[in-house]
Amino acid sequence: MATMLLLTFLISSLIMVTVGLAIDFMEILRLGIDGQLSVDPSDVETASLDFGLLTRGQPLAVLHPVSAQDIARVVKAAYGSNQGMTVSARGHGHSINGQAQTTNGVVIQMSGWKGGNKPPRPHVWAEERYVDVWGGELWIDVLKSTLEYGLAPKSWTDYLYLSVGGTLSNAGISGQAFNHGPQISNVYELDVVTGKGEVLTCSEDENTELFHAVLGGLGQFGIITRARISLEPAPNMVRWIRVLYSNFSAFTSDQEHLISLHAEPSNQKFDYVEGFVIVAEGLINNWRSSLFSPQNPVKISTLFPTSGVLYCLEIAKNYHESTAQTIDQEVEFLLKKLNFISTSVFTTDLLYVDFLDRVHMAEMKLRSKGLWEVPHPWLNLFIPSSKIAEFDKGVFKGILGNKTSGPILIYPMNKNKWDHRSSVVTPDEGLFYLVALLRSALDSGEETQSLEYLNNQNRQILRYCDEAGIKVKRYLPHYTTQQEWMDHFGNKWDRFYEMKMEFDPRHILASGQRIFTPTFPSLSNMPS
Ligand SMILES: Cc1cc2nc3c(=O)[nH]c(=O)nc-3n(C[C@H](O)[C@H](O)[C@H](O)COP(=O)(O)OP(=O)(O)OC[C@H]3O[C@@H](n4cnc5c(N)ncnc54)[C@H](O)[C@@H]3O)c2cc1C
Ligand SMILES: *[C@@H]1O[C@H](CO)[C@@H](O)[C@H](O)[C@H]1NC(C)=O
Ligand SMILES: *[C@@H]1O[C@H](CO)[C@@H](O)[C@H](O)[C@H]1NC(C)=O
């Protein structure tokens, strides 16, 4: 009892001291910042939450920066303070597990600005075919600005309301990754504010270590304030095709065949290869299925095999209206080699922009039904291709039953399109799959839709992989102990740790990833 009281007393005085000092810290910050430092409850509330709606972490203040210098001032103040103060960049807050949150510090709101001053707009270098963008720029705005020059980035995410700095801190993947690599393979140069508050330009040739560490670096080494992104001439149309399989092995061999064509000339391969799993219930609660159902809901339901699971290959070919006469032949040639259920071809032609922005349409629909701002216990796994059939048996045809609570994406990628020097971790095989279980928890009273049920199922899936010897790596990883992070990084851990000591030795940045605990210099050595 006495120790309890003492502990309570110690903790509450610690809180008082922290709050007192935090206010001094904020006074310092108010000087010399061109952006806006805010303690406005609505700003603080926004920064306390994310898309996952699973964790909450309230910062002391939110900075709306307009330059790298603004950010450098805040990080320097945190670096020089003796309060274990943290700084977390937040893009669009589309993390699942509080990765952009912090409780003892400042959130830098990189996307969506407030006030008169603004961060720099995208600058397109048309001749050189790249664009310089602010780290908080959303990909949708990058696209709009490059299209004015008839150009576009090459590698995407499925959803464009994500920030450049946020996706480059993970990898940034979609159906173009088999061909162009992830987004982190399509960046020439970065400006980064390190954990010491220095602003450094880095690239393949300059501050090379920092460049590779930051890409896929989970925000641990610096805050990306500018990225130089590679561009290509933009197509204006897309032929978007979906075909169905009931045979998983036929489905994956076709996917693997299609991505093996990456080195072929562009008229002899698809530009986009993805896929998804459809279980009976998935027809209702699936962002993707809406694309079939208006046309032909009956047909699909009659195709369900006894396993209750169908697989949909999703492929797309870019074209320009001026070259439209060859697209039919090119597509026909490619489809001829595939073994899908022949009666199940769904084709749509649409504008390139509408294709890239397709998930936003689904978002609007879900929002209108109140189904967007709900908890999202997502699980994203990279699975070695040699084990994908086992995963299918154990998970799609096993653990999931006939309930998925959201889309399940599955598509393979070529490891040789990933630079091994980046911080991201992928399986030890030349081909690996993304399996993304993008589930929404609902308070509907039905047990299988509850957060608890879905969390348990996620744990069950991970345990199954572990026991079956399927060496998965998590994408958008989330762990709570350093030992788990060491296991995640495997032989990349030593390097990751070394880079952390060099670029953020006080563990100020992105503490919401829970890889490193902020250090209190009063308990260790102050920097000289
Ligand atoms: C609907 C939806 C669809 C998605 N689709 C895809 C997809 O197709 N492919 C894919 O790869 N991912 C996808 N994602 C995941 C997405 O890439 C991650 O959520 C990622 O974190 C980007 O989101 P954000 O910009 O909001 O970053 P935040 O969640 O704000 O931040 C993510 C992490 O990066 C750090 N960070 C943010 N900005 C910076 C910066 N400028 N410099 C350094 N660190 C920074 C943060 O501190 C945090 O640790 C999707 C997410 C959602 C919600
Ligand atoms: C599934 O497809 C594979 C080819 O990938 C084939 O060998 C196998 O016989 C098919 N199985 C069934 C039940 O049709
Ligand atoms: C789904 O699974 C439940 C129990 O696991 C079963 O009762 C139900 O019939 C199944 N529904 C379909 C459409 O397969």
Side-chain angles (χ1 to χ4, degrees), residues 247-254 339:
N247 180 337
F248 184 73
S249 137
F251 168 70
T252 52
S253 32
D254 280 357
N339 295 304

Side-chain angles (χ1 to χ4, degrees), residues 89 91-95 99 157-158 163 169-170 172-173 224 475 513:
H92 209 208
H94 275 48
S95 291
Q99 284 92 336
T157 48
D158 293 348
S163 76
S169 297
N170 286 291
I173 50 172
I224 300 166
Y475 180 54
Q513 297 276 4

